[in-house]
Amino acid sequence: MAGSVLTIKDLHVEIEGKEILKGVNLEVKGGEIHAIMGPNGTGKSTLSSAVMGHPKYKVTQGTITLDGEDVLEMEVDERARAGLFLGMQYPSEISGVTNADFLRSAINSRREEGKEISLMKFIRKMDSQMEFLEMDLDMAQRYLNEGFSGGEKKRNEILQLMMIEPKIAILDEIDSGLDIDALKVVSKGINEMRSEDFGCLIITHYQRLLNYITPDHVHVMMQGRVVKSGGPELAQRLETEGYDWIKQELGIEDETVGLEA
Amino acid sequence: MTTEMKLPFDQEYITSFSKEMGEPEWLTELRVQSLEKADTLPMPRPDKTKINKWNFTHFNKLIVKSDEFKSLEELPEAVKPLIDADHSNSVYIQRNNKPAYLKLSAELQEKGVIFTDMYTASRMHGDLLKKYFMQSAVKADENKLTALHAAFLNGGAFLYVPKNVTIEEPIQAIFLHDDAEANLFNHVIVAAEDNSSVVYVENYISTVDSADSKVNIVSEVIAGANARIQYGAVDTLAKGVTAYVNRKGLAGRDAQIEWALGQMNDGNTISENVTLLQGDGSYGDAKTVVVGRGDQVQNFTTKIIHHGKNSEGFILKHGVVKESATVIFNGIGKIEQGASKSNAEQESRVLMLSEKARGDANPILLIDEDDVTAGHAASVGRVDPGQLYYLMSRGIPQAEAERLVIHGFLAPVVNVLPIEGVKKQLVEVIERKVK
Ligand SMILES: Nc1ncnc2c1ncn2[C@@H]1O[C@H](COP(=O)(O)OP(=O)(O)O)[C@@H](O)[C@H]1O
Ligand SMILES: [Mg+2]
């Protein structure tokens, strides 16, 4: 079967009664890599949280579907099992739960009872992915993200991505706080995932990640909307010229959203 | 406020019981004196829990008749998995008030290690026992319940490790409560002489569903200079059992005492766990995990008192409370004058799983010395929705996500228990209790 399709139409999202997303339209298909760029406070994380179903974010209008299925009807865990993945900007720390136990639960949640992944097979897969991501193998037995550095947390998000193999992933600022070596490793992981069966939406406000991962589509978000879309050349132009030209072109003074009194 | 309490057994009864057991005179005397003092001594006063209506003292039988176990094969199914038959060479099993099984490896016997039931200890090692028994750690006249403990003593174990002896494999005691009419006044002594080290693990386990038993536990843990004692315990006394638990340690110079207590009783429980860091450079680590369910009320006081310079004390308490149960945590770090360069740290956290659950975490630092460091963290709350969201975003259903967070929260004690079977039992008990 060919890749999946995540379709976002006219999405409006409120948080604590304030409208943050004001009509987002986007389609991500298997085999495609999209980048969403934009300055801070323009609604990028809100979009990713709304897709994953964070309870604080309220969808007031519009639709999200995955291969035609209504994502908004699903609980967070159902969305994940349907094939969505969110690499979070700020991953939680969970004491007492080892990285390995957590990942095994995540994988087994997709399998029927009695058909759980064998321990051997799991360990082999985890070891090889950790080696690929140049992670210390003892990270498997450390508690989930507890005491991890910023870079280790991001690497761990990519490890989860590679272990879980979702259909569509959103990676929210997976590049922030990474030094150049870590950035290369994280990019290597994402590139490794590239296939017809995998679609990805990379959220970033730096172009530098895109030096390692060439996106098929680039979108710019401002004021809670996608205000411009293009190919990889759009990211290049943003790198050299910044965002001001877009604001001028569109007559935007303040690109942020939700801060107005 | 004192309520009038008629004690169930008098001086005459206690004296003849002691004689019948062949106890040394000092012990008979201590029993009799304590019985007398119990009349006027005050009840313990656990902070934030009213116990004036609790019944710790009225019971019918001081001794119930129980059979021995001829071999480990005869153990009840609930007890068998606790023992690692291939590796446990030193095990004491007590059935209600009856010493029911004892094994101490020949190697340890040769090294002069003593491990035996309390009755035998009093007969065979009376002078040694006298040095420790309610002398320095827990005093018989601490309160009414410690006095009654001394008077009604009806079980327990004595573990003695001579100088310079290091015991690698854990020494295990199992106190089985399988008679709903049994009452336990159980005393454990773990004494490790200078430069020795030992790991001791005990289970208090009920196999009856509910009982009106009174359980009064005192443990005294005495670590000589540079000795190390690791003390693990899993308590699973049944619903209806009223328990008073007093586990106290005394650490000499450069000594270490580490507690790992899984306190999973289903009845009302008052627990004190005190570590006296007497010697310079001594170290105390007190970890406790607790689950409260049903309508049980539990109060846990953990206290580390620093007398020695450069002493370090760490308290960690994690509790889960569901249904309409109550769990109170009192954590006390006390640094006495002169205990310079000492460090007192504590963390107490309570997770509430229902609207009606009650939980409280009271961290207290009492510091009479300038040149010290101290810190505390305390929280009472619900399972963090951010953590649940994170786990669920990986496909894990909510119930399983909650289970993972709760088990993780209680892991600090589970992880340090040195006997695989006991560790597994604690995990299973947690599983059963939080479900
Ligand atoms: N958890 C939150 N609580 C309150 N306001 C929020 C929250 N998350 C986002 N917002 C609001 O939404 C706006 C957009 O935030 P966000 O989606 O995080 O932007 P970006 O990821 O593009 O930096 C913020 O300026 C803020 O006002
Ligand atoms: Mg963001």
Side-chain angles (χ1 to χ4, degrees):
Chain A
M1 180 189 113
S4 293
V5 189
L6 175 70
T7 311
I8 299 167
K9 279 195 187 143
D10 190 31
L11 188 68
H12 290 246
V13 174
E14 275 183 9
I15 175 156
E16 284 160 9
K18 228 187 291 174
E19 183 163 74
I20 305 296
L21 296 190
K22 303 179 174 176
V24 174
N25 292 289
L26 206 60
E27 187 164 83
V28 180
K29 291 190 185 126
E32 296 176 349
I33 294 205
H34 292 241
I36 293 192
M37 304 186 69
N40 266 327
T42 53
K44 302 184 300 297
S45 290
T46 302
L47 174 63
S48 61
S49 299
V51 172
M52 204 65 233
H54 190 296
K56 260 188 140 175
Y57 297 75
K58 199 169 151 223
V59 174
T60 53
Q61 198 180 314
T63 58
I64 305 175
T65 59
L66 180 64
D67 299 328
E69 298 278 334
D70 186 356
V71 168
L72 295 175
E73 279 296 303
M74 302 178 198
E75 298 294 327
V76 177
D77 57 315
E78 292 169 333
R79 295 181 193 201
R81 293 197 300 274
L84 294 176
F85 180 92
L86 172 58
M88 300 203 191
Q89 189 172 355
Y90 304 108
S92 287
E93 301 189 5
I94 300 174
S95 188
V97 178
T98 63
N99 229 350
D101 282 349
F102 154 66
L103 264 172
R104 204 142 65 91
S105 287
I107 288 172
N108 285 334
S109 72
R110 291 162 170 80
R111 292 162 160 254
E112 279 173 53
E113 229 179 293
K115 296 206 171 141
E116 287 88 359
I117 186 168
S118 83
L119 190 55
M120 276 297 291
K121 203 169 156 194
F122 172 77
I123 290 172
R124 231 180 290 132
K125 181 166 181 182
M126 186 153 178
D127 280 356
S128 83
Q129 307 292 39
M130 288 178 88
E131 258 165 46
F132 185 83
L133 294 171
E134 297 165 36
M135 293 170 78
D136 247 344
L137 289 188
D138 65 12
M139 301 265 291
Q141 291 310 318
R142 281 178 57 190
Y143 293 153
L144 180 51
N145 293 327
E146 192 182 54
F148 285 25
S149 69
E152 284 173 331
K153 281 183 184 165
K154 295 299 166 78
R155 248 180 242 230
N156 207 35
E157 294 290 287
I158 298 300
L159 174 67
Q160 294 171 38
L161 173 74
M162 296 181 78
M163 293 294 288
I164 290 173
E165 303 180 78
K167 293 172 181 159
I168 304 282
I170 303 174
L171 305 175
D172 192 0
E173 291 203 29
I174 200 74
D175 53 341
S176 63
L178 294 186
D179 61 30
I180 192 73
D181 289 331
L183 188 71
K184 283 182 182 165
V185 168
V186 160
S187 309
K188 190 170 84 159
I190 297 166
N191 284 324
E192 178 74 9
M193 292 291 296
R194 268 191 126 143
S195 83
E196 281 310 300
D197 296 328
F198 177 68
C200 191
L201 182 62
I202 294 173
I203 294 175
T204 179
H205 53 239
Y206 303 108
Q207 131 82 17
R208 71 179 186 150
L209 177 67
L210 305 180
N211 291 334
Y212 301 97
I213 306 167
T214 314
D216 304 296
H217 304 275
V218 175
H219 313 277
V220 177
M221 197 148 171
M222 286 184 185
Q223 294 180 326
R225 285 190 198 92
V226 173
V227 294
K228 197 163 190 65
S229 296
E233 74 292 342
L234 177 55
Q236 296 292 349
R237 184 164 176 201
L238 291 172
E239 170 73 358
T240 49
E241 295 179 36
Y243 290 100
D244 283 349
W245 63 276
I246 298 184
K247 287 163 68 177
Q248 269 170 16
E249 205 176 284
L250 299 172
I252 293 170
E253 274 181 21
D254 178 3
E255 71 277 14
T256 63
V257 66
L259 290 172
E260 60 278 4
Chain B
M1 184 176 65
T2 50
T3 34
E4 206 50 50
M5 277 191 274
K6 206 171 97 25
L7 297 174
F9 302 98
D10 61 10
Q11 179 174 335
E12 208 173 315
Y13 181 95
I14 290 303
T15 309
S16 73
F17 175 73
S18 179
K19 291 258 151 64
E20 210 173 295
M21 291 299 172
E23 291 176 354
E25 205 132 306
W26 65 264
L27 185 50
T28 314
E29 222 156 86
L30 180 66
R31 284 179 181 274
V32 169
Q33 282 172 5
S34 301
L35 184 67
E36 214 177 285
K37 284 187 192 161
D39 252 350
T40 50
L41 281 168
M43 287 292 283
R45 287 200 191 84
D47 210 13
K48 308 213 167 175
T49 303
K50 266 212 179 101
I51 57 169
N52 53 337
K53 296 218 170 73
W54 293 26
N55 176 8
F56 292 96
T57 49
H58 282 189
F59 56 92
N60 293 321
K61 294 183 177 174
L62 188 57
I63 296 285
V64 295
K65 234 178 101 47
S66 311
D67 292 329
E68 288 181 28
F69 298 111
K70 296 275 181 295
S71 75
L72 296 178
E73 291 303 299
E74 288 180 18
L75 291 177
E77 290 309 315
V79 177
K80 267 186 195 156
L82 298 176
I83 296 172
D84 177 357
D86 296 331
H87 296 97
S88 334
N89 290 309
S90 306
V91 189
Y92 169 60
I93 300 169
Q94 181 177 302
R95 189 172 191 179
N96 305 305
N97 316 115
K98 174 86 175 176
Y101 182 89
L102 175 68
K103 190 168 134 198
L104 176 63
S105 79
E107 190 198 332
L108 294 182
Q109 291 183 44
E110 272 161 36
K111 287 180 175 166
V113 173
I114 298 169
F115 183 46
T116 187
D117 70 90
M118 200 39 84
Y119 301 115
T120 306
S122 79
R123 279 196 297 269
M124 309 276 292
H125 310 283
D127 290 344
L128 191 59
L129 183 68
K130 187 182 174 189
K131 237 179 87 183
Y132 300 109
F133 191 87
M134 303 196 95
Q135 292 303 311
S136 49
V138 179
K139 308 255 174 46
D141 57 6
E142 222 167 80
N143 60 52
K144 190 188 286 289
L145 296 182
T146 53
L148 289 177
H149 177 89
F152 296 149
L153 171 74
N154 66 2
F158 179 56
L159 171 58
Y160 173 80
V161 186
K163 258 186 197 169
N164 304 324
V165 172
T166 298
I167 307 179
E168 305 281 351
E169 82 180 25
I171 306 278
Q172 188 170 14
I174 294 169
F175 301 103
L176 168 63
H177 169 240
D178 69 354
D179 182 335
E181 296 194 333
N183 301 288
L184 304 186
F185 289 78
N186 216 61
H187 198 99
V188 169
I189 290 174
V190 178
E193 298 271 24
D194 297 358
N195 302 312
S196 68
S197 99
V198 65
V199 182
Y200 166 82
V201 178
E202 68 186 6
N203 279 94
Y204 282 90
I205 175 170
S206 294
T207 55
V208 289
D209 286 340
S210 78
D212 170 41
S213 303
K214 310 302 158 209
V215 172
N216 179 323
I217 293 166
V218 173
S219 288
E220 301 186 272
V221 172
I222 293 141
N226 204 34
R228 180 179 183 198
I229 299 176
Q230 290 164 270
Y231 191 112
V234 176
D235 304 343
T236 52
L237 292 166
K239 198 174 166 191
V241 174
T242 306
Y244 171 69
V245 186
N246 184 336
R247 292 182 171 115
K248 203 161 180 177
L250 210 80
R253 183 175 48 77
D254 295 320
Q256 298 182 31
I257 297 181
E258 292 148 79
W259 307 92
L261 310 176
Q263 299 192 266
M264 300 288 149
N265 289 346
D266 276 330
N268 292 347
T269 300
I270 296 298
S271 167
E272 297 176 53
N273 175 217
V274 180
T275 310
L276 293 165
L277 299 177
Q278 278 194 321
D280 292 350
S282 55
Y283 173 94
D285 182 83
K287 292 188 169 74
T288 308
V289 298
V290 164
V291 176
R293 66 168 168 180
D295 56 3
Q296 72 176 141
V297 176
Q298 299 185 95
N299 183 300
F300 302 88
T301 299
T302 308
K303 192 173 183 176
I304 297 185
I305 304 166
H306 301 248
H307 289 280
K309 295 186 204 314
N310 283 305
S311 56
E312 281 200 288
F314 297 92
I315 296 174
L316 178 145
K317 297 162 89 174
H318 285 184
V320 171
V321 202
K322 53 180 263 195
E323 290 154 7
S324 51
T326 300
V327 166
I328 309 287
F329 279 162
N330 299 308
I332 303 165
K334 187 167 199 292
I335 302 184
E336 304 285 0
Q337 202 173 4
S340 54
K341 303 260 185 299
S342 289
N343 181 27
E345 302 285 344
Q346 62 167 297
E347 181 199 323
S348 297
R349 303 195 184 280
V350 182
L351 263 190
M352 317 267 263
L353 300 190
S354 77
E355 290 299 324
K356 283 191 185 149
R358 285 202 46 220
D360 204 347
N362 311 304
I364 299 166
L365 283 170
L366 303 166
I367 297 180
D368 287 323
E369 171 63 47
D370 288 329
D371 184 15
V372 298
T373 51
H376 63 77
S379 64
V380 177
R382 303 194 173 274
V383 176
D384 176 7
Q387 292 185 334
L388 291 182
Y389 169 65
Y390 186 69
L391 294 174
M392 289 171 70
S393 79
R394 300 310 186 234
I396 299 171
Q398 180 160 355
E400 173 66 7
E402 280 173 4
R403 201 189 70 90
L404 281 174
V405 170
I406 290 166
H407 278 266
F409 180 68
L410 300 175
V413 167
V414 174
N415 288 350
V416 296
L417 285 172
I419 297 177
E420 210 47 46
V422 178
K423 185 186 279 202
K424 260 180 81 181
Q425 177 226 14
L426 179 56
V427 170
E428 282 162 17
V429 170
I430 291 169
E431 189 84 54
R432 207 164 57 228
K433 288 193 79 167
V434 300
K435 199 157 75 183

